[in-house]
């Protein structure tokens, strides 16, 4: 069962983002036939756009390392079933030697209401009396807005096509804060992708 990554789906602007904290949960297996050169990238989230954003970011980072990678979302649409059979067909079609799978394993969110600062305009006019002025003060107060604090963890594994099993895995934890209802900033997804590929390279799964 997949989980919904609300921090991406919600239309908020990113106000703070700490880089991912990565923990290796499975060292490179003896059965691994790394380094891998042809990777199918799969993200398992409920929202198709969320999957596509992360997969595209990972493909870009892998390409920068000279690795041929294909996003699963580029080979399917929103109606394609997210099943093992679907991804196995992609592996066969692309000739992939490995599958990189990332999924959400936990999400904690906390909301806090904040009062907006009032803005004021002043219109000053002279009167008929000496040194006496008329002042018209108008204050504009926006409704309170929410600050959302999110902490989420992602699990990433590499599956060897030949070994037919997971040969390496990490977990990454990130914290972000979002404010105000406006178009979302998904730059933290790029940070996740960079961290994942950096650890793939460091542990010898790619050249």
């Amino acid at each position: 069962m997949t989980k919904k990554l609300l921090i991406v789906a919600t239309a908020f602007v990113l106000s703070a983002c700490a880089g991912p904290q990565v923990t290796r949960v499975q060292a490179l297996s003896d059965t691994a036939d790394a380094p891998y050169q042809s990777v199918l990238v799969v993200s398992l989230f409920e929202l198709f756009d969320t999957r596509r954003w992360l997969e595209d970011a990972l493909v870009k980072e892998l390409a920068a390392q000279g690795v041929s990678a294909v996003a699963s979302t580029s080979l399917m649409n929103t109606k394609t079933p997210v099943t093992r059979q679907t991804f196995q067909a992609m592996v066969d079609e692309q000739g992939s030697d490995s599958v990189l799978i990332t999924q959400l394993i936990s999400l904690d969110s906390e909301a806090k209401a904040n009062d907006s600062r009032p803005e004021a305009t002043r219109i000053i006019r002279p009167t008929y009396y000496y040194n006496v002025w008329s002042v018209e003060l108008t204050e504009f107060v926006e409704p309170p807005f929410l600050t959302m604090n999110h902490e989420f963890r992602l699990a990433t594994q590499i599956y060897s096509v030949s070994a037919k099993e997971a040969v390496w895995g990490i977990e990454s934890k990130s914290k972000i804060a979002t404010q105000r209802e406006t178009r979302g900033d998904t730059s933290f997804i790029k940070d996740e992708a960079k961290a994942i590929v950096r650890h793939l390279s460091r542990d010898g799964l790619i050249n």
Side-chain angles (χ1 to χ4, degrees), residues 21 33-34 37 41 43 63-64 70 89 91 102 116 119-120 122 145 157 165-166 168 182 189:
Q21 299 177 1
D33 47 345
Q37 296 294 330
V41 179
S43 295
V70 176
V91 166
T102 301
S116 300
E119 296 182 2
R122 295 175 177 83
F145 64 91
Q157 291 179 297
E165 64 180 8
W168 176 88
T182 185
I189 290 181

Side-chain angles (χ1 to χ4, degrees), residues 141-185:
V141 180
E142 295 182 4
F145 64 91
L146 290 178
T147 295
M148 299 292 296
N149 295 303
H150 308 280
E151 180 175 307
F152 64 96
R153 289 193 302 141
L154 300 179
T156 300
Q157 291 179 297
I158 277 277
Y159 283 79
S160 166
V161 172
S162 63
K164 298 182 180 180
E165 64 180 8
V167 296
W168 176 88
I170 59 172
E171 290 184 5
S172 58
K173 181 173 71 174
S174 295
K175 295 181 180 180
I176 64 170
T178 54
Q179 290 183 347
R180 295 189 181 275
E181 295 180 350
T182 185
R183 185 169 182 82
D185 179 351

